[in-house]
Amino acid sequence: MITVGLTGGIGSGKSTVATMLVARGAVLVDADVLAREVVEPGTVGLRRVVERFGRAVLLPDGSLDRPALARLVFDDPAALSDLNAVVHPLVGEKMLQQVASHAGTDDVVILDVPLLVEAGGADRYGVDGVLVVDAPEDIAVARLAAERAMSEEEALKRMSAQASRAERIERADFLIMNMGTLAELEEMVARAWAWIESLRAGASA
């Protein structure tokens, strides 16, 4: 089994790269998916979120009102830190469980973690390599406007809450600069897959 940490700033195209890697046979463990699971109704995570932020972050059916919670935390670093302190350990536990379920196989397990650099996830999960997807700020902002109808102000605010591009690039074992067409991105992912295969060859040597 080979584990690769995949990360990138918002608007970088990281999710597209993850999809392309899965198409090549990788198994995806998505931190964003797990982050939603750990705050579903009836979970310890949701109870802790409500204890910290109040019932105003709940919808009438008892599920989490994500937009309401986002409004509370993205302008308040202390509140965001409190939220991360609830969610991150629960997500990390689930990620480790999923990785462990592939032990003894020859699977390529991609850990898609947006905050891999910020949260020290590369060390925590013991990944064999870190793949970073990057894009210039102006391109990322344009993508977020087109794909998520996000304003420039909101996009920049989300970016400022993440590690800088330089910090992510410095941590990369393999870097994809996603600035061009989808076909160009496919070519770069093919090179990234060759790098992953070299990790596998090194591990089995």
Side-chain angles (χ1 to χ4, degrees):
M1 180 182 68
I2 292 293
T3 57
V4 174
L6 172 65
T7 194
I10 187 171
S12 66
K14 175 180 61 63
S15 296
T16 303
V17 169
T19 299
M20 291 176 176
L21 291 171
V22 169
R24 285 168 168 79
V27 176
L28 184 64
V29 178
D30 190 332
D32 282 343
V33 171
L34 298 181
R36 290 189 286 272
E37 290 181 2
V38 299
V39 289
E40 288 179 347
T43 61
V44 171
L46 183 59
R47 176 172 57 78
R48 291 176 181 170
V49 168
V50 173
E51 287 173 354
R52 167 59 180 83
F53 296 100
R55 298 193 63 82
V57 299
L58 292 179
L59 292 168
D61 65 0
S63 62
L64 184 64
D65 186 340
R66 296 178 187 282
L69 182 60
R71 287 191 295 271
L72 287 176
V73 302
F74 278 111
D75 285 323
D76 186 338
L80 180 58
S81 178
D82 288 347
L83 177 61
N84 288 340
V86 171
V87 174
H88 285 176
L90 296 172
V91 171
E93 183 179 341
K94 277 185 168 284
M95 293 196 82
L96 289 171
Q97 289 171 354
Q98 292 201 11
V99 171
S101 72
H102 295 276
T105 72
D106 62 355
D107 291 338
V108 173
V109 181
I110 304 295
L111 305 184
D112 184 344
V113 186
L115 302 180
L116 187 76
V117 173
E118 296 89 330
D123 295 327
R124 177 176 186 183
Y125 303 121
V127 298
D128 297 292
V130 175
L131 172 57
V132 173
V133 185
D134 186 59
E137 184 177 280
D138 59 333
I139 291 177
V141 169
R143 286 177 183 153
L144 292 169
E147 297 170 9
R148 306 193 196 180
M150 196 177 291
S151 69
E152 180 178 357
E153 179 184 5
E154 185 180 0
L156 292 174
K157 185 183 297 183
R158 296 289 185 94
M159 290 176 182
S160 69
Q162 298 182 330
S164 69
R165 291 179 62 203
E167 288 170 324
R168 279 192 297 270
I169 290 171
E170 182 180 3
R171 188 64 184 82
D173 295 309
F174 193 98
L175 175 65
I176 289 177
M177 290 296 296
N178 182 21
M179 302 165 54
T181 65
L182 198 61
E184 290 169 334
L185 182 58
E186 281 277 12
E187 291 179 6
M188 287 183 280
V189 171
R191 291 197 290 271
W193 188 255
W195 164 70
I196 291 170
E197 291 286 7
S198 74
L199 293 178
R200 189 207 299 270
S204 62

